[in-house]
Each structure stands twice: as C-alpha cells, then as structure tokens.
Amino acid sequence: MNHKDLFTISELPRELDISTRTIRYYEEIGLILPQRSGKGTRYYDRGDRARLKLILRGKRLGFSLHEIKEMITLFDEDRTGRKQLQRTLQYGEEKIRELDARIDELSRLREEIQDFKARFEEKLASLEAGEDANKSKK
C-alpha cells in the first residue's frame, strides 16, 4: 500500500476537524479498525477515512452512533448496499418524523411567545399611558 494511502492519527483530525480522542473512541466501539505498526502506531487507510466521513455526516444528520454502526455493518455484510440502503431509509424516515414533531413544537412555542409579547406590549402601553395621564394632572 502506498504511503499516501495511509494516514496517521494526527493527520485525520486536521482534515476532518475532530479530535484524536474522537477517533480513538470510534476505534474503541468498532466503527473503524486502523492498522498498527510494530511499534503500535495507528495507520488509517482510505476506507477508514471514508468511514470517518460517513460517521461525521451521520452525526450531523442526527443519527446515533449505534444507528451509524448498524448502517456501516450492513454494508460490510451485503456489498450490494441493498440492506444498508433499506435500513438507512428507515432511519431517515424516523428522523424526518422526529424533525417534523420538533418543528411543530417549536412553531407552537413561537406562537405562545408571540402571544405573551403582544399582551406584554399592551400592558406596557397601558402603564405608560397611565403615567402620562398622571404627569399631565400634576
């Protein structure tokens, strides 16, 4: 394997904007499996780098590490990608439902805050009008 095809644990964090601890954790839970030199130095190949990118994308989209691991493992079991795609679609549909529920909740919260704001503005205007009336009486 060409040296350009291998990456050290100090190169990947700079490229992917993650910590070495994160990479070690992903290794610890079996998401990536780097090669080791005789001295124990970790070397990551292009496949590991691609997996890291998939993991980071999955995290950004709200998938748990368990879900990400399952999706990655399914591709290893079925190289056609069919099982992985089916499961990813299921997880994606679940995430869309969760997002829709959060959007609905946030919309209701926004309306409630707008209602309070309008009532508080009315109350403040009423108080200021009362103060102005008292000043003019003096």
Side-chain angles (χ1 to χ4, degrees), residues 32-50:
I32 55 173
L33 303 168
Q35 303 168 31
R36 294 211 184 236
S37 71
K39 297 178 185 175
T41 303
R42 292 173 174 90
Y43 288 102
Y44 302 88
D45 61 23
R46 291 189 180 281
D48 294 318
R49 187 176 71 172

Side-chain angles (χ1 to χ4, degrees), residues 1-137:
M1 185 174 277
N2 186 335
H3 176 66
K4 288 184 178 185
D5 292 332
L6 296 177
F7 307 89
T8 65
I9 196 160
S10 60
E11 291 171 324
L12 287 175
R14 284 192 300 263
E15 179 184 342
L16 302 174
D17 195 28
I18 56 175
S19 69
T20 55
R21 177 65 193 119
T22 298
I23 293 174
R24 285 187 194 104
Y25 179 68
Y26 293 160
E27 177 185 350
E28 187 179 308
I29 63 172
L31 283 169
I32 55 173
L33 303 168
Q35 303 168 31
R36 294 211 184 236
S37 71
K39 297 178 185 175
T41 303
R42 292 173 174 90
Y43 288 102
Y44 302 88
D45 61 23
R46 291 189 180 281
D48 294 318
R49 187 176 71 172
R51 275 180 172 231
L52 282 169
K53 287 181 177 182
L54 285 172
I55 293 165
L56 296 174
R57 182 183 304 140
K59 291 294 291 171
R60 192 179 85 253
L61 295 174
F63 294 107
S64 71
L65 289 177
H66 173 77
E67 291 166 335
I68 293 167
K69 185 174 184 178
E70 181 182 357
M71 289 183 279
I72 289 172
T73 302
L74 283 173
F75 183 74
D76 292 340
E77 292 173 6
D78 173 18
R79 297 306 269 185
T80 67
R82 182 186 177 116
K83 288 180 183 179
Q84 181 190 42
L85 288 171
Q86 289 170 334
R87 190 63 179 131
T88 301
L89 285 169
Q90 283 178 314
Y91 279 140
E93 289 167 0
E94 289 172 21
K95 292 296 169 209
I96 289 169
R97 282 191 297 275
E98 289 172 16
L99 287 170
D100 286 343
R102 286 175 55 197
I103 288 168
D104 289 345
E105 181 182 335
L106 288 170
S107 292
R108 285 191 300 275
L109 180 60
R110 184 177 193 278
E111 288 173 14
E112 188 176 340
I113 290 171
Q114 285 177 320
D115 182 51
F116 276 113
K117 180 180 176 273
R119 288 192 282 167
F120 293 163
E121 287 171 339
E122 288 173 13
K123 179 70 173 171
L124 182 60
S126 173
L127 290 172
E128 289 174 347
E131 288 175 7
D132 291 342
N134 286 337
K135 286 181 187 177
S136 62
K137 289 181 182 178

